[in-house]
Amino acid sequence: MASLRINGTTHSVLADDDIPLLWVLRDELRMTGTKFGCGIAQCGACTVHVDGRAARACVTPAAALPGREIVTIEGVTGDVARAVQETWRRLDVAQCGYCSPARSCRPSRCCRRSAGRPMPTSMPR
Ligand code: FES
């Protein structure tokens, strides 16, 4: 059993040492916003953040993450997330929507990391 901190909440999970975080999120915790695409760290559909950095959940063992701060698309909120979503709507970025959570997760976190600078409330046009 491992203890994972995800979106600000601590979860006790039963994952074996070699189980990728993606399957813990989807199958055990029912956080289905993070998607499976290729399974080999190439497509980005499974992108989450670990300690503020983008990580491919399909190849990241859950057992390596106790004590780390994990953020999934379900935890991406606030002004920056809204600005990213609004920009996507305005530009008709989304197509089928399958990879949208990961593609929305990454820029939201990047903007949030720009500490010391004003938080954008809208993206450039
Ligand atoms: S599922 Fe494609 S990078 Fe993880």
Side-chain angles (χ1 to χ4, degrees):
M1 182 174 296
S3 185
L4 299 180
R5 184 121 176 111
I6 304 169
N7 301 332
T9 301
T10 301
H11 300 268
S12 294
V13 298
L14 300 171
D16 292 337
D17 287 352
D18 59 345
I19 297 295
L21 174 63
L22 176 63
W23 301 119
V24 172
L25 293 172
R26 292 185 58 83
D27 293 348
E28 189 167 341
L29 299 176
R30 302 290 181 213
M31 293 180 179
T32 56
T34 305
K35 307 297 187 195
F36 173 77
C38 64
I40 55 172
Q42 295 298 304
C43 72
C46 66
T47 302
V48 298
H49 295 100
V50 176
D51 293 340
R53 303 190 73 126
R56 307 290 195 194
C58 68
V59 295
T60 304
L65 299 173
R68 314 281 297 276
E69 190 67 36
I70 301 161
V71 177
T72 68
I73 189 63
E74 290 89 349
V76 175
T77 61
D79 291 345
V80 173
R82 279 191 293 279
V84 170
Q85 292 165 358
E86 176 52 37
T87 300
W88 277 44
R89 273 191 290 276
R90 185 167 34 81
L91 299 176
D92 289 329
V93 171
Q95 294 179 18
C96 75
Y98 187 79
C99 64
S100 295
R103 290 181 179 268
S104 181
C105 197
R106 187 165 186 142
S108 297
R109 200 60 177 187
C110 288
C111 292
R112 196 176 304 279
R113 275 197 320 223
S114 57
R117 291 184 240 158
M119 293 291 280
T121 54
S122 65
M123 301 300 277
R125 296 186 183 266

